[in-house]
Amino acid sequence: MKKLLDRMIGSLVFKIALAIVIVETILLGLFGGYYVQYFGAEIDRRIAEQISAPGRLIQDEQLKVSILSDAAQMERLLGKHLQQAMAVGFDGTIYHAIDPLLVGSSINVMPGFPQEELRPDLTDQVLFTTHDNGGQSMVSITPLFSLNASQPFMYVYLKVSTKGLEESQREMQSVLLVGSAMCILLTSVLIFLFTQHTVLKRLITAAQFVNKIQIGKLGSRLTPMGRDEIGTLERGLNAMAESLERRTQQHQIAQDALRDSEERFRDFTLSSADWYWEMGADLKIAFASYKFYQLIEEINGSPQGQSFDKLGLHSEHSESWHYLQRRLDAHMAFQNVEFSWTSRTGEKHYGRINGVPVFTLDGRFNGYRGTGSNITAQHRAAEEQQALQRQLATSQKLEAVGQMAGGVAHEFNNCLAGILSFAEVARAKVDDPERVKEYLDHVISLGERATSVADQLLMFSRRRIDQPTNVRVQSIFSEMEKLLLTLLEHRIELQIWSNEPELYTRVDPTQLSACILNLAINARDAMPDGGTLQISCSSIDIAPLAQRVPDEDDETFPDNIAGEFVVITVQDTGTGIPDDIVDNIFEPFFSTKEPGKGTGLGLSIVHSWVEEAHGFIKVESIEGEGTTFSVYLPRSEAGIETTRHIDKIDNLPGNGERILIVDDEQALRTTAGIILQDAGFRTETAKSTEEALDLLKQTELNDPFDVILTDVVMSGRSGPQLIIEALRQNQRYGVVFMSGYPARSRKELDKLLGNYVFVKKPFRPAQLQKAIHDAIALRAERQSS
């Protein structure tokens, strides 16, 4: 019952009927009240006319005053509700009355009689209502005048009860109420029937149509039955249904396409070698393709709901992992972030990931989508390639050394022949000190010449420590001329000159010689039938980029280059370089030579060294006519840093400092000991790192050593390992490294040990003494800080 009641109350029919009843009740109530009030006033007016009529008639002498004593006649005139009718004199005496008992009496005996209304100046009839025990009554007092009198001599007093008026009003209200109810009922029924036929029936049809649309019957249509508002609604619903049907069809097509796309994407992800992943705004994995899921599950469980740093992946470089975290925090894209992981079999693998941020239409961050790939094969291939590159580099060095073998052997044989000859002559002239000194000077000169040749060999093996200094280019040309003549053979003419003999540049002289040598060898190979090789030197002043005039400058230079430069030009008349490969000649392992005749590393090494020297290199080539390489190196002024000649280094005697000499070569230990003892130092020797550490430990408390002089490369543990262990035990020692073939570069030693002193073998006594003094000074500086 309650459900039925709720359904009825919630129906549109009930609401329309209720609205009609309320509206009609309000309207009829307003109009009924108005008419009740109107009819009540009309009744009052008629009663007033009725009650005042006898008085006026008597006043006009149309009725006799004696009629007031006739009760029946007065009842016919004023009705059955007449209460009193009488004629009262001006003195208050009652002369006529419907009650005979009152005739001749005074009005004073009548309680509540309105004596104040019987005024001498009353000229017109008065009407008023009174209230007493009998209820409300209407009173009429009419003055009667004699001929030419100015005041009344008698008053006609009539009193009628209003009970009849009230009953009449109630009867009228009852009639109006019943009539209104019948009117409301009839009009409501008529309006409901009209609404049911013209509105509700069509609305119900529209509601049924909407229900059909709701359950998927999109082909349903309404038949508009007019041009009214409901007809407009029906046409609108039809248009809506057509649009919805069309959009549903489009949506179905899009869903089918999306399903096909998802299936295609799933097939791609299953068959692709790459991984696909997605993370939410909380930077946790929300989706992972099968292979990525399988990978993470193998090493760290399910990736779902985990952040990158919890997946069990390890960065190969800490900076790349910090880079990834910074990009994630800033909601920015990232690329090529590499990491590694260890499989269950213990094998190490490598991967790479990329990702882009995803934002909603209102700009809100919504997460990341990205890809990943397994680069283990590429990583291992790169390692193999690096190993191959090292092998090829070694091969190239061996090739270069092989090309130098003839000239180097010739130079060494010349030096050794001279050394042996002068030594024999000196021994024969031992009684002539002046002649012996002269012959020993020649031996020393030849030894230095042999050392220079050895430096070139060390440079090609990359075992020589770079020693930049102010270099006079013309001197390098002079030193290399003999070696170049040997390498170029007689079929090639060598021309060397300098436009400005006093041109200096700050580089390692051996590296500069190697650079020129590489370019000369390439020029020789480009002239198989002979030709001319020109090596020259000049200077140029390159203006800053802002001051260059493109239309006037014939040459172009790098944008970041400016200042004074020394230009070393190597020009040949060979076959030239084709235009299509000229941009690739400085790439490692790029070579146009036949297999087995070149590794393609020569020009790459030259280019790398020139850049390290803060210079640059240019190449100009015309196929069939020749090639010109121009090496630009920063120019320096002579005297900025002067190199003291060995003979001019002053002797630096010692003051009894204890020196530990460590070398696995007996002759070098003996020679160094003699040099330092003659200079005033106290020395002890050790042939290995272990023996040296034992000596240091034995003398640590009693007469400790001041300086450790050690070879870099020794059998067993090396010199740097000795120094690390010694300084770990005691920081008081000064350090001098000596070697002609160090296993580490200067940069590596700097990083390993910091400040140290290095002396190159073979060394002169004064050089060794200076190195010891420098080490003592560095030790004192370190201890004071």
Side-chain angles (χ1 to χ4, degrees):
M1 183 67 181
K2 184 176 182 300
K3 182 183 291 186
L4 181 62
L5 181 62
D6 292 340
R7 185 175 179 182
M8 182 188 71
I9 293 174
S11 67
L12 182 61
V13 176
F14 177 80
K15 293 176 181 178
I16 292 176
L18 181 62
I20 292 172
V21 171
I22 292 174
V23 171
E24 288 187 342
T25 301
I26 293 173
L27 292 176
L28 290 175
L30 293 174
F31 284 109
Y34 170 74
Y35 280 112
V36 167
Q37 185 178 2
Y38 174 76
F39 288 141
E42 183 65 21
I43 291 173
D44 290 341
R45 186 185 62 79
R46 291 182 180 182
I47 291 176
E49 288 181 355
Q50 184 179 7
I51 196 173
S52 61
R56 287 198 302 271
L57 292 175
I58 294 173
Q59 187 183 39
D60 295 337
E61 297 181 355
Q62 295 180 9
L63 288 179
K64 294 182 179 181
V65 72
S66 61
I67 196 174
L68 296 177
S69 300
D70 189 350
Q73 187 66 27
M74 291 303 294
E75 185 173 349
R76 283 194 294 272
L77 290 174
L78 298 178
K80 62 181 180 178
H81 297 293
L82 176 66
Q83 290 180 325
Q84 190 63 261
M86 57 185 176
V88 182
F90 66 90
D91 57 356
T93 301
I94 300 174
Y95 293 100
H96 298 282
I98 60 173
D99 185 3
L101 297 177
L102 295 176
V103 177
S105 63
S106 175
I107 61 175
N108 294 327
V109 299
M110 295 180 66
F113 187 87
Q115 297 181 22
E116 66 276 4
E117 296 294 336
L118 303 179
R119 303 188 305 274
D121 56 350
L122 182 64
T123 58
D124 294 322
Q125 186 182 58
V126 295
L127 291 172
F128 58 90
T129 57
T130 63
H131 296 272
D132 51 24
N133 294 332
Q136 183 175 336
S137 301
M138 183 172 288
V139 177
S140 171
I141 299 177
T142 305
L144 301 178
F145 295 89
S146 60
L147 186 63
N148 296 325
S150 59
Q151 66 180 27
F153 68 93
M154 189 177 291
Y155 301 92
V156 177
Y157 175 82
L158 299 174
K159 182 179 181 182
V160 179
S161 174
T162 61
K163 183 177 181 181
L165 173 62
E166 294 173 355
E167 290 178 355
S168 299
Q169 287 179 339
R170 283 194 294 272
E171 290 176 0
M172 183 181 64
Q173 289 174 351
S174 299
V175 171
L176 285 175
L177 180 61
V178 173
S180 298
M182 293 298 296
C183 181
I184 289 173
L185 179 61
L186 291 176
T187 54
S188 298
V189 170
L190 291 176
I191 292 174
F192 174 75
L193 292 176
F194 177 77
T195 305
Q196 175 74 19
H197 180 72
T198 60
V199 178
L200 295 180
K201 184 177 180 181
R202 295 168 69 184
L203 290 177
I204 291 172
T205 302
Q208 294 173 347
F209 167 75
V210 172
N211 288 333
K212 290 179 181 179
I213 297 297
Q214 187 177 6
I215 63 176
K217 296 181 179 180
L218 301 179
S220 302
R221 294 293 183 272
L222 287 171
T223 302
M225 301 179 65
R227 306 297 297 179
D228 55 6
E229 289 81 358
I230 298 180
T232 302
L233 174 63
E234 292 168 341
R235 288 188 291 274
L237 290 175
N238 284 338
M240 180 195 70
E242 292 175 0
S243 176
L244 186 60
E245 183 178 19
R246 184 171 60 255
R247 292 189 179 184
T248 302
Q249 293 174 352
Q250 295 174 350
H251 180 67
Q252 186 63 40
I253 295 172
Q255 277 191 328
D256 294 340
L258 179 60
R259 184 171 55 255
D260 294 341
S261 176
E262 289 178 346
E263 292 177 356
R264 189 180 303 112
F265 175 73
R266 183 171 59 253
D267 295 339
F268 285 156
T269 57
L270 290 175
S271 60
S272 173
D274 289 338
W275 317 314
Y276 303 91
W277 55 268
E278 184 176 18
M279 63 169 50
D282 57 354
L283 300 182
K284 294 184 178 179
I285 299 294
F287 165 79
S289 63
Y290 174 73
K291 290 189 177 180
F292 191 46
Y293 194 99
Q294 190 178 39
L295 163 66
I296 302 303
E297 190 175 39
E298 179 183 1
I299 61 177
N300 198 43
S302 172
Q304 202 77 17
Q306 297 194 58
S307 56
F308 272 132
D309 57 347
K310 304 296 183 183
L311 296 180
L313 306 175
H314 307 284
S315 173
E316 287 299 290
H317 308 285
S318 59
E319 181 58 32
S320 65
W321 210 250
H322 295 325
Y323 159 80
L324 172 61
Q325 194 59 50
R326 289 196 303 270
R327 305 294 282 190
L328 288 175
D329 294 340
H331 302 162
M332 298 174 67
F334 56 88
Q335 292 181 341
N336 300 329
V337 177
E338 296 189 3
F339 56 88
S340 63
W341 71 93
T342 303
S343 65
R344 292 178 179 175
T345 60
E347 188 176 4
K348 191 172 183 179
H349 296 268
Y350 301 89
R352 179 187 296 128
I353 55 173
N354 309 289
V356 294
V358 179
F359 297 92
T360 60
L361 293 178
D362 58 357
R364 181 171 50 86
F365 175 67
N366 206 32
Y368 272 90
R369 293 193 186 105
T371 62
S373 55
N374 190 329
I375 60 170
T376 303
Q378 298 94 307
H379 199 277
R380 291 173 181 167
E383 291 178 348
E384 294 175 359
Q385 184 181 17
Q386 290 175 0
L388 180 60
Q389 287 176 356
R390 288 192 293 270
Q391 294 176 5
L392 289 175
T394 303
S395 175
Q396 196 272 345
K397 295 169 187 175
L398 293 175
E399 177 189 0
V401 171
Q403 292 178 345
M404 293 177 61
V408 170
H410 177 74
E411 286 293 311
F412 266 118
N413 285 333
N414 288 340
C415 293
L416 290 175
I419 290 172
L420 291 174
S421 299
F422 281 116
E424 290 290 341
V425 173
R427 185 169 60 179
K429 300 292 185 179
V430 68
D431 296 333
D432 188 351
E434 292 297 326
R435 298 293 296 274
V436 170
K437 182 178 181 302
E438 178 184 352
Y439 297 151
L440 290 179
D441 286 341
H442 286 298
V443 170
I444 293 172
S445 176
L446 290 170
E448 290 176 351
R449 180 176 171 187
T451 300
S452 176
V453 175
D455 282 343
Q456 294 186 30
L457 290 175
L458 288 176
M459 183 276 301
F460 280 104
S461 66
R462 303 299 286 179
R463 297 296 185 180
R464 183 182 182 281
I465 293 181
D466 295 345
Q467 294 180 326
T469 184
N470 266 9
V471 176
R472 183 171 175 267
V473 181
Q474 182 64 42
S475 300
I476 299 296
F477 286 178
S478 300
E479 293 175 1
M480 295 189 64
E481 188 169 2
K482 290 184 180 180
L483 180 59
L484 291 175
L485 288 172
T486 302
L487 290 175
L488 295 178
E489 306 169 355
H490 297 292
R491 58 187 173 87
I492 297 175
E493 179 184 358
L494 176 63
Q495 299 176 0
I496 300 179
W497 77 88
S498 175
N499 292 338
E500 301 177 52
E502 298 302 319
L503 288 179
Y504 288 82
T505 180
R506 182 174 172 76
V507 294
D508 187 301
T510 306
Q511 293 280 29
L512 178 57
S513 299
C515 172
I516 297 173
L517 182 62
N518 264 303
L519 295 177
I521 290 174
N522 281 343
R524 181 201 64 185
D525 295 340
M527 297 183 288
D529 300 327
T532 302
L533 175 63
Q534 297 180 350
I535 301 177
S536 61
C537 180
S538 61
S539 65
I540 187 173
D541 188 2
I542 301 176
L545 179 63
Q547 300 177 11
R548 299 178 195 173
V549 182
D551 295 337
E552 297 180 2
D553 293 341
D554 295 333
E555 294 185 283
T556 58
F557 303 101
D559 293 346
N560 60 337
I561 294 297
E564 295 184 357
F565 285 82
V566 173
V567 185
I568 299 174
T569 303
V570 179
Q571 183 177 10
D572 64 64
T573 57
T575 57
I577 304 174
D579 293 338
D580 57 340
I581 65 171
V582 71
D583 293 332
N584 307 110
I585 60 175
F586 294 114
E587 296 177 1
F589 308 106
F590 180 84
S591 177
T592 58
K593 298 178 182 179
E594 298 178 4
K597 293 188 176 182
T599 62
L601 287 174
L603 289 178
S604 175
I605 293 174
V606 169
H607 186 269
S608 176
W609 174 78
V610 170
E611 286 191 339
E612 289 178 3
H614 306 291
F616 62 97
I617 187 170
K618 293 179 62 177
V619 58
E620 298 177 4
S621 182
I622 300 177
E623 195 170 359
E625 296 185 11
T627 303
T628 301
F629 286 91
S630 299
V631 178
Y632 292 76
L633 298 172
R635 182 175 178 178
S636 64
E637 296 295 334
I640 292 179
E641 181 177 333
T642 58
T643 303
R644 299 178 66 184
H645 192 272
I646 293 173
D647 295 334
K648 296 182 180 179
I649 296 179
D650 298 330
N651 289 325
L652 299 171
N655 192 25
E657 293 88 349
R658 294 201 67 196
I659 313 299
L660 176 60
I661 304 171
V662 186
D663 200 311
D664 55 0
E665 180 63 41
Q666 174 64 40
L668 288 175
R669 293 199 303 272
T670 302
T671 303
I674 292 172
I675 292 173
L676 295 177
Q677 288 173 5
D678 290 345
F681 297 97
R682 292 182 296 156
T683 64
E684 286 195 37
T685 62
K687 63 182 178 181
S688 66
T689 296
E690 289 74 15
E691 185 179 345
L693 289 174
D694 289 339
L695 284 172
L696 291 173
K697 188 174 182 181
Q698 294 171 11
T699 61
E700 183 175 0
L701 298 177
N702 183 22
D703 197 13
F705 290 98
D706 297 295
V707 177
I708 301 174
L709 171 64
T710 178
D711 193 8
V712 175
V713 179
M714 296 185 293
S715 57
R717 287 198 285 177
S718 66
Q721 290 175 318
L722 163 64
I723 297 304
I724 291 174
E725 181 65 23
L727 294 180
R728 186 180 65 82
Q729 296 176 4
N730 195 327
Q731 292 286 328
R732 73 180 307 278
Y733 304 117
V735 178
V736 177
F737 285 109
M738 58 180 176
S739 180
Y741 186 77
R744 298 178 183 271
S745 68
R746 177 179 291 272
K747 183 181 295 185
E748 291 175 313
L749 290 175
D750 283 341
K751 184 176 181 181
L752 186 66
L753 299 172
N755 293 331
Y756 66 94
V757 179
F758 179 82
V759 59
K760 188 177 78 68
K761 296 179 181 178
F763 44 76
R764 302 290 294 276
Q767 287 179 305
L768 183 58
Q769 295 171 25
K770 182 178 186 302
I772 296 297
H773 277 274
D774 290 344
I776 293 173
L778 284 176
R779 183 192 67 162
E781 182 180 346
R782 184 172 68 246
Q783 290 176 345
S784 64
S785 61

